[in-house]
Amino acid sequence: MNLVYNEDQQQLLDSARDFLAAKSPVSVQRRLRDEASSSGFCPQVWQGMRDLGWSAVAFEEKVGGLEFGFAGYAPIFEQMGRHLAASPLLSSIVLCGGLVELMGSEEQQQQLLPALIAGELRAALALEESERHQPDLIKTRARMEQGGWLLDGRKEWVADGNEADAWLVVAAVDANELGVFLVHAGAKGLSLEPRTMIDARNMAAMTLQGAKAERIGGCAAEALDLVLDRGRACLAAELLGVSEALFDMTVEYLKTRVQFGVPIGSFQALQHRAARLYVELQLARSSTMAAFSALENQAIEVNERRRLVSLAKWKANICAQRISNEAVQMHGGIGVTDEYDLGLFLKRTRLAQNQLGHTDFHCARYACNLSTKNA
Amino acid sequence: MNLVYNEDQQQLLDSARDFLAAKSPVSVQRRLRDEASSSGFCPQVWQGMRDLGWSAVAFEEKVGGLEFGFAGYAPIFEQMGRHLAASPLLSSIVLCGGLVELMGSEEQQQQLLPALIAGELRAALALEESERHQPDLIKTRARMEQGGWLLDGRKEWVADGNEADAWLVVAAVDANELGVFLVHAGAKGLSLEPRTMIDARNMAAMTLQGAKAERIGGCAAEALDLVLDRGRACLAAELLGVSEALFDMTVEYLKTRVQFGVPIGSFQALQHRAARLYVELQLARSSTMAAFSALENQAIEVNERRRLVSLAKWKANICAQRISNEAVQMHGGIGVTDEYDLGLFLKRTRLAQNQLGHTDFHCARYACNLSTKNA
Amino acid sequence: MSDIDDFRKQTRAWLEANCPESMRTPMPSDEMVWGGQNLEFKHDDQRLWFERMRDKGWFCPDWPEAYGGGGLNAQQVAVLESEMRRLHCRPPQINLGIWMLGPVLLESASDAQKERFLPPMARGEVRWCQGFSEPNAGSDLASLRTSAVLDGDDYIVNGTKIWTSYGNKSDWMYALVRTGPMEPKQAGISLILLDMHAPGVSVSPIDLISGKSSFCQVFFDNVRVPKDQLIGEVNQGWALGKALLQHERRAMSKFSEFALPTHFDLHTYLESFLSEPTTSADQALHQRAIACLMDEEAYSLTNRRIGDTMRVRQDASGLMAISKLVHSEQERDKFELLLEILGNKALGWSGDGFLERELELTGSWLMSFAQTIAGGSSEVQLNVIAKRVLGLPDAK
Amino acid sequence: MSDIDDFRKQTRAWLEANCPESMRTPMPSDEMVWGGQNLEFKHDDQRLWFERMRDKGWFCPDWPEAYGGGGLNAQQVAVLESEMRRLHCRPPQINLGIWMLGPVLLESASDAQKERFLPPMARGEVRWCQGFSEPNAGSDLASLRTSAVLDGDDYIVNGTKIWTSYGNKSDWMYALVRTGPMEPKQAGISLILLDMHAPGVSVSPIDLISGKSSFCQVFFDNVRVPKDQLIGEVNQGWALGKALLQHERRAMSKFSEFALPTHFDLHTYLESFLSEPTTSADQALHQRAIACLMDEEAYSLTNRRIGDTMRVRQDASGLMAISKLVHSEQERDKFELLLEILGNKALGWSGDGFLERELELTGSWLMSFAQTIAGGSSEVQLNVIAKRVLGLPDAK
């Protein structure tokens, strides 16, 4: 386990920072919101990310990947958080691409992965059926008719679900088995309703009424568990980046805002609170680094991977919530104005906190996977 | 509901403060500890309390009581907490006296209550069978033999159980019914083992092997619930007093201890922490006052009484834990020395916190009794 | 029967006869009546209740009758308030002028000023806003820079005020301005009254993270203010401003007492969304919500204790000092919990797919961040508790 | 094969041959070997291991061989440490002199002083204690008052030191004393070494809330200290003291690395006492314990990250600055939770009815309060993080 970025990761971090600072400053996100963008991301930025190889990072060469390893996503998502950059990287590449890679037949892989990597096919994962993450609560059913699969059900919260080219839908094949099904845009019996969220990104509800689907692989439980863990680690890294951005803005504000003739950062009560936020940030970073290490480690026990990923998402959630609240409070009035960027970061934290498992979810999951810790 | 002391309560408070300051300063408690007192309280102080009428406060005149009302115990226990005074007032009067008053036959009342009030008979309640308060978990059994009751079982934590003249033992009569049984000192089949606790008060484990007992009244559930609520309110008041004593010591220390050429109370970080403790203290006081009001109110719904009493004990527990920890921390080195009184208060808080329901117990109990709140 | 019992009897009878039934129900925020030049009523009962209370002089029951008040003594005011509470009467109008500026004018204005400003205020004819904060003077109010320079019989006012509630809907403003030099800061400040329709005044509502808001920034570009609209002595306005803030705090607590219990009753949400927690994650969330409810009840008991304490004429200043801090933080914490309970349902911004109350919850959550900052930030409250209540020493 | 690989191979072989099996097991606190004049060994393996490491010079592997050290370079020391860790070798002795005073002597003492003090230290013949804190100089160390006044060739030392660990078992003390005037405070302080057996030195162990302790108060009544036992320049000891505290922090982290994983593994207790929480109260407690465990793991990962960061030669000072704060507070919080989990079982003081580990837990809980104060209180740690790590400005 390595808890600092190696040279390759550091290079990725630097290039991600330079690219996002230049092409995806927060103003881009603000404009997407003000223009009520239906996709919630900027196509040019997404193109730029692909040009930098971000969509290929973790895949094998035979499907067009770079074989860099999954840990490459730690610096990338961290920087996406820092710059508040929206993109379909998580939905289309990490989650959908990951499922195809792990479960798809040779043919499906060859057909889908290069297209996903190239951005010719943008896919979104249709999993959640309730307002909080419950990956086991799947009521959407898949049935076989005339040799083909048809899906019935409703997915409430499909991230990046609007205007996607395809969706991977998690559905129950029978009482004990979950499957993953590919549904293409325009399929009969498929309808989507956009949802406007506080982070102004792309979210949709989906109704499936006998929608035609192609099954990807077989029993999904294991692969889904792993792919969701990858997604959780990416969200932890994003939250870490968001938190660091908020923290840096706040420390800078404490140093420059003058009240009563002195910088407010000289007030000891604020100093101690800032110091405690720094502590939280460091604990969150260590946990996130460990989660990525666990995901890179082929030999790791499943329970240990789960435990470390849940630790990371739990801690990143807590850290982001606490830092965003304190950032607003320490900024005072200006922090609650829409004009200032802080609120945009705050709003993003809550979506990312809730996605793929809120704080209590991961606390409970950690407990369930604890037994091997000392084994 | 009245949330401030009325004139009568205020007089009780003043007289309790004067009496305890004169006769039961903290040094008395320290001496009891150093001498490893087996009773854990000072007989003269207990005599003085009875002379002041504290053992008679809430009883009816016909059994020698003052009919002052139960709310008289709020100022008394608050002051006992403030002065760290040990006495059998809770065990012998509030709990045992209360059960006899509520459940006993006319004859039992006439026989027992005047003796309890006069201190001729000191009784203790043998209830708990596990290390945390679980009033429903009673494995001690009562059986009838030759027209008399015999008890079998083990009580682990009997407060003021050493050297008592009698005990009220809570035992199961059958699977659905609890009863209260009077066991006298020296009964065959009864044995006690003293336990030396960190607060140096009186605690014992009790073994019952066919011990002869007299039943007090009938089904105990309802009366026990009420009497335990009274005890919880008294403990909340005691914890409030302990917390206020700790808080006052701390604020005084902050004003006088000089470091870096200034009183440490001028450091803003400590000021804000002290201010937050003050807030906790006020919330705890309001809740405790409401609990006593609820106990005085004959017309109150049982659920509302339970809810308010659990709120008070919960908040007093939290407040005491937080204030005791902060008191030690803000005192620095001197706070952890045995020579300084602070540690004696700290140690008492944890026993009182645990007695008759720790924090989570009362949180859960509050939830169970919440439904009538808005009804 | 004593005089006061007699007064209680009469008051109760009058309220029962004159307060329309519909004015005895909880008041949604969009049914508040704001006094001012542009009075608006949603229905006749509101107007009836407004006019009847106005004609009794009971918008400001403790003011002298000469200025349009009710002329009641403190005991009678307490009776009136308790009787109104008993019947759940809504306040007939909301008026910052009466609650905050009025008492200061009564104490410190000239007779001519009182005669000019108080009676229309008492009739609810003027809507007042407050001009204290500035972009660079937040918690450090005394560093304000809006200047008022004497030019003949007028002050020429230049500068800007921020966080002025309903600045865009108000008729007049009471403002702190700098009439003297910068140092020492407090010594050069005066309290003036100015007409929001005067030339050179412009108002921009401020967008908050929660969306549109009632807060405004007000700009003054060579606004002429006749010098007889300065209250008290020149350069002595700081004390008046502090007195005003005291009244503001009292008004705020009165306001929250009258206001409808928040739409966002955690208990109700808990019953709807988490009544039978099954997973251990849900149980943990449930427990945290219960703890939050318990703290809310402890706070509401503390508010009752303030009343009980004052009733027996004991000092309630310590309790009053914690009230805003506790309430605003509890609200924010409650919304944070509601967000976790409702998950994505509480993270919508607009449009289909969300119930109105869900969107309202999201807005109220975001607005709750402003509440721990506006009207004296939590940090200022903690300073006040530490220094005034606990007597801890100043730094250095 | 590179030199360092070669060194690793040799070291591994030597350790495997020379470290007795029993010295490769976790070390209970009562099996620590303390170097000093009164060496005590519980069994022969301890002595063997002590003597073999001593003879290699590996009590202080990085010191010059001339002073009895191992003469290893930084890379070799790292290899030695990692190999010892690999085999779970116990430290052969605990010696504050070597870990804290030694490096300062190497940097700042005269040659004569080095020759006199370092070799016996390197052989583990002297047990050292630290004389910094005083009753009125806690966090504000520079306000210390113990005086050393020159009288011929001796300093006459008067005053008192507090919180001296094992003052009653130590042979020598390094102490900060005041040789110059009070103002400016830091400028009049010197570092001296003194013999604890010198006339006029008396020592009283301090009783803590947890009972007997290893902390002592040391009193100096006209103690004569030869002036060649003053290290560095007169009145320039403050910088040396600060350097010592830096070494103390590093030693503390080494110490905690070597020490037996705490007896009080929350996870184990949780499995014994709350493995199947049934009541909702127990579930809440269980959840809080899990959160506590998670924070513990996040901390232990952070400690690993310090190592990883240093390995790639990046700046780990920020992480090191949080370490003591986080660890000591987590320990206290963990004990608070254990108290709630064990209820009355964790509230016993002595005697029958309690298991030894229960009583030990109670003592450790009480002792945990001292850990957030001793060795730089949490408040001092927060100041350091705020100022040195975050660069926030000083007040005024």
Side-chain angles (χ1 to χ4, degrees), chain B residues 150-195:
Chain B
L150 299 180
L151 303 181
D152 296 287
R154 186 160 167 87
K155 297 290 182 180
E156 283 295 338
W157 309 100
V158 184
D160 294 331
N162 291 316
E163 303 174 4
D165 303 306
W167 297 262
L168 291 189
V169 180
V170 179
V173 178
D174 59 39
N176 301 311
E177 187 180 331
L178 291 182
V180 169
F181 298 86
L182 178 70
V183 176
H184 282 282
K188 226 183 87 185
L190 165 74
S191 67
L192 284 140
E193 305 152 42
R195 293 278 180 266

Side-chain angles (χ1 to χ4, degrees), chain D residues 14-33:
Chain D
W14 186 88
L15 288 171
E16 275 172 0
N18 288 281
C19 183
E21 279 297 332
S22 71
M23 293 292 99
R24 305 185 196 180
T25 60
M27 178 174 67
S29 58
D30 61 351
E31 291 206 9
M32 285 183 193
V33 174

Side-chain angles (χ1 to χ4, degrees), chain A residues 109-217:
Chain A
Q109 294 194 19
Q110 285 299 343
Q111 183 195 335
L112 297 172
L113 290 178
L116 286 170
I117 291 170
E120 293 152 13
L121 179 76
R122 183 169 76 72
L125 178 66
L127 167 71
E128 308 289 357
E129 302 187 8
S130 66
E131 58 273 22
R132 278 171 285 138
H133 181 54
Q134 291 195 68
D136 300 329
L137 187 89
I138 303 293
K139 291 186 188 150
T140 298
R141 314 287 302 182
R143 60 189 154 96
M144 182 75 94
E145 210 173 278
Q146 298 175 322
W149 289 97
L150 300 181
L151 304 180
D152 297 286
R154 185 161 167 86
K155 297 290 182 180
E156 283 294 340
W157 309 100
V158 184
D160 294 332
N162 290 316
E163 302 173 3
D165 303 307
W167 297 263
L168 291 188
V169 180
V170 179
V173 178
D174 60 38
N176 301 312
E177 187 182 330
L178 290 183
V180 168
F181 297 85
L182 177 70
V183 177
H184 282 281
K188 224 182 90 185
L190 165 73
S191 67
L192 284 140
E193 303 152 44
R195 294 278 180 264
T196 308
M197 310 302 286
I198 55 171
D199 69 350
R201 297 200 181 180
N202 180 325
M203 183 76 88
M206 170 186 275
T207 307
L208 297 150
Q209 291 175 303
K212 206 173 146 190
E214 172 188 347
R215 185 163 185 180
I216 306 287

